[in-house]
Amino acid sequence: MKKLLLYSFTCLSLAALLTSCSSKGGNSSSKTGIPYADRKSKNNQSGAFAVATQYKRAPGPGLIPIEGGVLVVGGSAIEVPGVEPSIYNYKRQVTVPSFYMDETEVSNTDWLEYLHWIRYNFPEDREYYYNELPDTLVWRQALSYNEPYVDNYLRHPAYRDYPVVGVSWEQASRYCEWRTSRANEFILREKGILTDYKTLAGNGKGNTATTAAAAPKPDKPYNTDAYLNNQYNDIGKNAPIDYNTKSGAATSTAGGTAAATTGGKNNQPRRTATLEDGVIMQPYRLPTEAEWEYAALGLIGNTEYENINQNKIYPWNGLGVSSAKKKTRGMIQANFKRAPGDYMGVGGSLNDKGDLTVPVIQYTPNDFGLYNMAGNVNEWVNDVYRTATFSDADAFNPYRGNYFTNKKLEDSQSGKIALDKYGNPIKENAYAGRKQTWAEKQAQAKRSDSISKSTDPQSPVASTSYQADQRGYRDRQNTLLNEEGVTLVNDKSRVYKGGSWNDMAYWLNPATRRFMQQDESSAEVGFRCAMTMLGAPEISTAGKRSFKNPPQKPYRVSRGK
């Protein structure tokens, strides 16, 4: 009997060890029982597996979470006599995953920060700076005196919090890429994963000599993709501990350096952060059209237990454009043109309190907390325009505009990627729709090197039947023609939505959509950024019904008969 009890206790102790880290998180593997490596563990050995067990997701700077769900795209459209609704929308039920979105439109100050960074880091490159300047000439009209806005709107402090305009879709997309690297660099330097700002300024405390030796000043600015590929040689004093290096073995697989010793407890080697560490944010990008419409409509405020108690035709409740609340009754809730020639109302009683644009934080935000999702400026979205997009696109996360690319390899053996003179990855057409074998990958890389040295993503890198450009996939309708019979829609036609200061109320409806060429700009079009949310779609469980997961039960010993 004593032997049986002892055996049972031993088994239960082993079970406790094996279940101490379940698949829900913990300090050891639920499948092998091997402890994970961490700073506090006494069992760390060379080759130990490290897991980010303390990861907590959070939005990037400027973003707020948008819990996704079902949406009838075009469902809020207003029927206008003489206008064919199918030109602007197609009613179809789709599902939008949860994501993050900018609380406000990108402002003039935000864009001036971008221009400042370019001028500081590339003072001799006038072309780079010029290419990112907004087109302030969009304010000029033949029969309107708008010349003061040409000179002042972007740069004068009076307009610092107003939405940036005159920005093309291409410029907005490049801004998103730049913002991704700057936000990630700030996080990494603040945490000491990269050399911290004090040390960079020469004011750091501690062993700066080892830090400088481990992280010489890079010749190009930080880029997130290059860093994740171990091609940004900077390892801070709080960089993750490297448990995965065998004695005498190099850690790099992408042309970088081996792990560096930067001081600290036990003088442990450090490495660059990886996606597995959960520190690097997802890229900023333009929202998809479905995401934008879903976020603008904001039906979450009218929903209880999946029942929508009131639909909307604007980002606010009600059929009109003025407030029905007692304290603000009659006040216009967005910046738009109330009638032909009426941009702001009567002197002494201005209706929307804006002649052109207004600051990015004005009026009441919608139920997601987003400002100016109707009026002020139209906003670029990521999609290529087609009249029948939502009849063709997938029902989950619909989007038209995929142009699949790979980061061009500089060295196929090490995996080192090619960077342009600004430190950004050079992109080329994707050449496969699946993971290739190692032999296929090496052969493809050799063909790419011999066929093309071009940085143009549209140049073919090898003979292949794979179609990287998916913008016209399932394209059954591309028939909008001008008077000469030339199509107005092509693969560079991009959607913008939301209405502007120069639009009538009809265009404030989130279902409406228009398009413009991606290299064009307007005084009526700005943008805001979005970011993909990873993990579970539910943002908050507070006050919501949920199933309770049963506690882990220890293994039981069978006594037999």
Side-chain angles (χ1 to χ4, degrees):
M1 182 68 178
K2 289 182 179 180
K3 289 183 179 180
L4 179 60
L5 290 174
L6 178 61
Y7 179 67
S8 300
F9 176 78
T10 303
C11 288
L12 291 172
S13 299
L14 177 61
L17 173 63
L18 292 176
T19 59
S20 63
C21 173
S22 69
S23 58
K24 301 174 185 176
N27 296 320
S28 62
S29 169
S30 63
K31 302 300 184 287
T32 65
I34 300 174
Y36 295 143
D38 60 47
R39 294 171 186 258
K40 298 180 181 179
S41 176
K42 297 180 180 179
N43 298 318
N44 294 336
Q45 300 177 10
S46 177
F49 179 50
V51 176
T53 57
Q54 303 301 315
Y55 168 73
K56 291 183 179 180
R57 70 182 181 191
L63 302 172
I64 59 176
I66 308 294
E67 185 168 290
V70 68
L71 167 71
V72 179
V73 286
S76 63
I78 307 170
E79 301 294 334
V80 177
V83 177
E84 174 58 45
S86 64
I87 294 178
Y88 303 114
N89 63 79
Y90 180 93
K91 292 179 174 60
R92 183 187 174 195
Q93 184 169 278
V94 301
T95 291
V96 177
S98 298
F99 62 103
Y100 302 109
M101 191 176 230
D102 268 340
E103 183 180 24
T104 69
E105 300 137 335
V106 173
S107 71
N108 286 321
T109 295
D110 298 329
W111 199 269
L112 289 174
E113 179 187 11
Y114 179 33
L115 294 177
H116 167 78
W117 182 90
I118 295 172
R119 184 163 51 188
Y120 179 81
N121 286 277
F122 301 95
E124 305 299 324
D125 197 331
R126 300 292 298 275
E127 180 183 3
Y128 186 12
Y129 185 84
Y130 181 83
N131 287 341
E132 300 312 307
L133 280 174
D135 182 5
T136 60
L137 299 181
V138 294
W139 289 108
R140 282 183 173 167
Q141 301 295 328
L143 298 177
S144 179
Y145 181 61
N146 289 348
E147 205 65 19
Y149 307 115
V150 173
D151 297 328
N152 294 304
Y153 182 81
L154 174 64
R155 299 183 183 276
H156 198 281
Y159 297 105
R160 66 185 181 188
D161 296 325
Y162 285 56
V164 67
V165 298
V167 172
S168 70
W169 181 94
E170 294 174 349
Q171 288 176 307
S173 296
R174 291 194 294 267
Y175 173 87
C176 292
E177 295 175 1
W178 170 84
R179 183 179 174 185
T180 298
S181 290
R182 301 291 71 74
N184 275 323
E185 180 183 16
F186 181 80
I187 290 171
L188 295 174
R189 294 203 187 282
E190 284 289 291
K191 292 179 176 291
I193 296 173
L194 291 176
T195 304
D196 61 86
Y197 288 109
K198 287 186 178 180
T199 303
L200 284 177
N203 300 322
K205 298 179 181 180
N207 191 356
T208 57
T210 56
T211 302
K217 183 175 177 60
D219 59 347
K220 295 178 181 178
Y222 169 90
N223 175 272
T224 296
D225 288 323
Y227 176 79
L228 288 174
N229 206 48
N230 203 20
Q231 289 179 237
Y232 186 78
N233 190 17
D234 187 339
I235 301 178
K237 60 184 178 181
N238 293 331
I241 298 172
D242 188 358
Y243 301 106
N244 305 315
T245 308
K246 290 185 178 180
S247 178
T251 59
S252 172
T253 59
T257 58
T261 299
T262 59
K265 189 176 181 180
N266 300 326
N267 220 26
Q268 294 168 305
R270 305 278 176 166
R271 58 171 174 79
T272 58
T274 64
L275 277 180
E276 291 92 328
D277 294 312
V279 180
I280 303 293
M281 292 188 305
Q282 288 295 293
Y284 285 89
R285 56 176 174 78
L286 292 176
T288 67
E289 183 176 1
E291 285 175 338
W292 197 98
E293 183 174 338
Y294 178 87
L297 201 56
L299 288 174
I300 194 170
N302 298 349
T303 304
E304 185 176 6
Y305 301 132
E306 291 199 275
N307 295 313
I308 299 174
N309 54 43
Q310 184 177 354
N311 214 325
K312 298 178 179 179
I313 58 174
Y314 300 114
W316 52 83
N317 287 325
L319 300 177
V321 295
S322 57
S323 174
K325 296 181 180 179
K326 185 175 181 180
K327 291 184 178 181
T328 57
R329 185 168 296 161
M331 294 182 66
I332 301 296
Q333 301 189 82
N335 179 23
F336 66 102
K337 184 169 62 177
R338 187 167 61 171
D342 182 3
Y343 288 87
M344 59 182 181
V346 179
S349 184
L350 301 182
N351 53 48
D352 63 21
K353 307 186 189 307
D355 49 359
L356 298 172
T357 56
V358 296
V360 294
I361 295 184
Q362 192 147 318
Y363 313 111
T364 303
N366 74 355
D367 288 329
F368 278 121
L370 302 170
Y371 287 88
N372 287 310
M373 292 300 284
N376 208 23
V377 289
N378 289 286
E379 297 180 15
W380 286 114
V381 299
N382 224 352
D383 291 57
V384 167
Y385 179 84
R386 292 293 188 273
T387 56
T389 287
F390 293 113
S391 64
D392 297 332
D394 290 345
F396 178 77
N397 206 11
Y399 169 67
R400 182 187 289 280
N402 281 313
Y403 193 122
F404 299 120
T405 59
N406 295 330
K407 301 179 186 72
K408 186 175 181 179
L409 291 178
E410 184 175 299
D411 185 339
S412 59
Q413 288 296 322
S414 67
K416 185 177 181 180
I417 59 177
L419 304 176
D420 63 18
K421 63 181 180 179
Y422 306 118
N424 302 319
I426 297 172
K427 303 292 182 66
E428 62 184 9
N429 288 355
Y431 38 76
R434 59 168 178 80
K435 179 183 176 182
Q436 296 178 302
T437 65
W438 180 256
E440 289 173 336
K441 184 176 175 64
Q442 299 308 307
Q444 185 69 52
K446 290 179 181 178
R447 286 198 297 270
S448 299
D449 291 339
S450 62
I451 292 176
S452 175
K453 296 293 184 180
S454 172
T455 60
D456 181 4
Q458 297 191 41
S459 64
V461 297
S463 56
T464 175
S465 59
Y466 179 71
Q467 175 57 261
D469 188 350
Q470 301 286 323
R471 291 175 294 182
Y473 184 64
R474 293 182 185 165
D475 185 5
R476 300 179 294 104
Q477 190 172 0
N478 188 9
T479 56
L480 289 183
L481 306 177
N482 64 13
E483 294 178 354
E484 288 75 31
V486 178
T487 180
L488 299 174
V489 178
N490 56 44
D491 288 344
K492 292 188 177 182
S493 302
R494 298 285 176 171
V495 178
Y496 64 87
K497 296 172 74 73
S500 76
W501 59 271
N502 198 28
D503 286 318
M504 303 289 282
Y506 171 79
W507 295 105
L508 305 186
N509 176 256
T512 58
R513 53 201 303 258
R514 289 174 283 184
F515 69 94
M516 190 163 59
Q517 293 299 96
Q518 65 185 40
D519 58 353
E520 296 178 345
S521 58
S522 166
E524 303 164 23
V525 179
F527 74 101
R528 72 181 74 209
C529 301
M531 180 184 288
T532 299
M533 182 185 294
L534 304 181
E538 191 171 46
I539 292 173
S540 174
T541 59
K544 298 178 182 177
R545 300 176 300 169
S546 62
F547 292 106
K548 291 185 178 180
N549 294 319
Q552 287 283 331
K553 295 181 179 180
Y555 294 115
R556 293 183 178 180
V557 178
S558 176
R559 296 172 181 259
K561 290 185 179 180

